[in-house]
Amino acid sequence: GFLFLLSVSLLSFPDAVCVGLMLWSSIFMVLILHRHKQRMQHVHKTCSSRSSSESRATKTILLLVSTFVSFYSLSCIFQIFLAVVYHPNRFLVSTAAVVAGCFPVVSPFLLVSRDTNASRLCLTWIRNGKTPDIMRNM
């Protein structure tokens, strides 16, 4: 009992510290963007009525952080189940593997969907079945 809890605590401590640092840095970036938006409010009022770059960046940061924390928490839960269950069935093992790979697979699509230029580039590539001129020149 006690040794199991101690080992789980020691094994999960580095992960908890890293997730905490990531959350702290994300909050810090959002605060910096918010301060910058407040300072630049007079410029944004004269430019356009659409959402500011700071707002779009803040939404992207929050989307990525919440997605990561959600998938990571779910993955940790599955890893705990795998450690506790004596003979885990194949479905549980496969599901744990899929959940562990969700964020690296989903995050690029989230980023592309947030960037209209990247979305247009991908749609052009898919529609034409070939690489757009921008990509060939890189």
Side-chain angles (χ1 to χ4, degrees):
F2 175 74
L3 287 178
F4 177 74
L5 288 175
L6 182 65
S7 63
V8 167
S9 299
L10 290 175
L11 288 173
S12 62
F13 181 73
D15 289 341
V17 168
C18 289
V19 169
L21 286 172
M22 185 195 59
L23 288 170
W24 177 81
S25 65
S26 299
I27 291 168
F28 189 68
M29 284 188 287
V30 167
L31 290 174
I32 288 173
L33 286 167
H34 180 69
R35 267 190 245 133
H36 183 268
K37 182 180 177 182
Q38 285 180 332
R39 287 185 191 143
M40 301 302 291
Q41 229 170 7
H42 67 281
V43 174
H44 289 305
K45 284 181 183 175
T46 59
C47 285
S48 75
S49 60
R50 66 185 190 129
S51 66
S52 68
S53 300
E54 295 89 353
S55 295
R56 288 191 307 274
T58 297
K59 289 176 185 174
T60 301
I61 290 168
L62 294 175
L63 177 68
L64 286 171
V65 167
S66 61
T67 303
F68 175 78
V69 170
S70 299
F71 281 131
Y72 186 77
S73 300
L74 196 57
S75 179
C76 286
I77 291 168
F78 274 104
Q79 294 303 319
I80 289 169
F81 279 137
L82 289 176
V84 172
V85 175
Y86 188 63
H87 290 294
N89 63 17
R90 190 178 303 179
F91 176 76
L92 186 61
V93 173
S94 300
T95 306
V98 167
V99 169
C102 278
F103 181 75
V105 170
V106 170
S107 61
F109 293 106
L110 292 175
L111 287 172
V112 167
S113 71
R114 303 286 304 156
D115 184 4
T116 55
N117 291 329
S119 297
R120 269 190 240 118
L121 191 65
C122 288
L123 287 174
T124 303
W125 181 67
I126 290 168
R127 193 177 311 126
N128 295 339
K130 58 184 178 181
T131 307
D133 291 336
I134 294 172
M135 294 298 287
R136 277 195 291 257
N137 295 334
M138 289 183 155

